[in-house]
Amino acid sequence: MSSNNGFRWNPYYQALKYVNGIFLAQESDRSIKTSTNGTTWTTVTSYTSTVINDFDYGNGLYVYVGALGSVGTSTDGSTWKAHNTLTTSTIIGLAYSSNNRMVYVGNNYAYSDDAGKSWKNSSWPNSGQAQGVVCG
């Protein structure tokens, strides 16, 4: 990844996050890439049918969330498996908490106690769409 002005980057990444010792990213062509140093990137999945909005790591699994309620998990950051969620709405953010719980937000809120393999709905305290989530 490079930039000549610090604002436009080539290539463009939809999602980019450093978790559990590796960088995870989805490039504009929907491929998932990994890097251990942020300079040299390896394509691990040549194409995903979804736009990824966030990555995280918890309880031994890497997890992504994205458009149309998409969630995927991986034990190594390279081989990904899709999972069913409780929504078809876009999921904006994902966070892992200290009590082994993952939370995702968008137009609704859900949590997982098994690192993203299954999800439970929870009540949303207000109307509208969340733009991110943080867990402690």
Side-chain angles (χ1 to χ4, degrees):
M1 181 168 31
S2 63
S3 173
N4 60 3
N5 62 12
F7 295 101
R8 292 186 182 184
W9 293 86
N10 187 21
Y12 168 75
Y13 289 106
Q14 170 69 23
L16 173 65
K17 197 165 194 180
Y18 182 77
V19 291
N20 194 42
I22 64 171
F23 290 94
L24 292 167
Q26 184 184 44
E27 198 171 329
S28 56
D29 66 359
R30 294 192 181 173
S31 62
I32 297 177
K33 307 211 181 258
T34 62
S35 175
T36 56
N37 59 18
T39 303
T40 305
W41 293 85
T42 302
T43 300
V44 296
T45 302
S46 60
Y47 176 80
T48 58
S49 60
T50 189
V51 173
I52 296 171
N53 289 324
D54 201 4
F55 292 97
D56 211 337
Y57 178 85
N59 203 25
L61 287 175
Y62 297 91
V63 181
Y64 72 70
V65 294
L68 302 174
S70 59
V71 172
T73 60
S74 172
T75 58
D76 59 7
S78 296
T79 305
W80 293 87
K81 178 182 178 185
H83 296 277
N84 292 326
T85 60
L86 303 171
T87 184
T88 56
S89 298
T90 294
I91 301 171
I92 300 297
L94 173 70
Y96 180 74
S97 72
S98 58
N99 65 350
N100 293 327
R101 178 170 283 184
M102 288 200 138
V103 176
Y104 74 66
V105 296
N107 286 331
N108 61 350
Y109 156 81
Y111 65 93
S112 171
D113 291 321
D114 59 7
K117 293 178 188 173
S118 63
W119 296 89
K120 298 172 185 134
N121 273 328
S122 189
S123 60
W124 192 241
N126 59 2
S127 62
Q129 180 171 329
Q131 297 300 309
V133 61
V134 176
C135 290

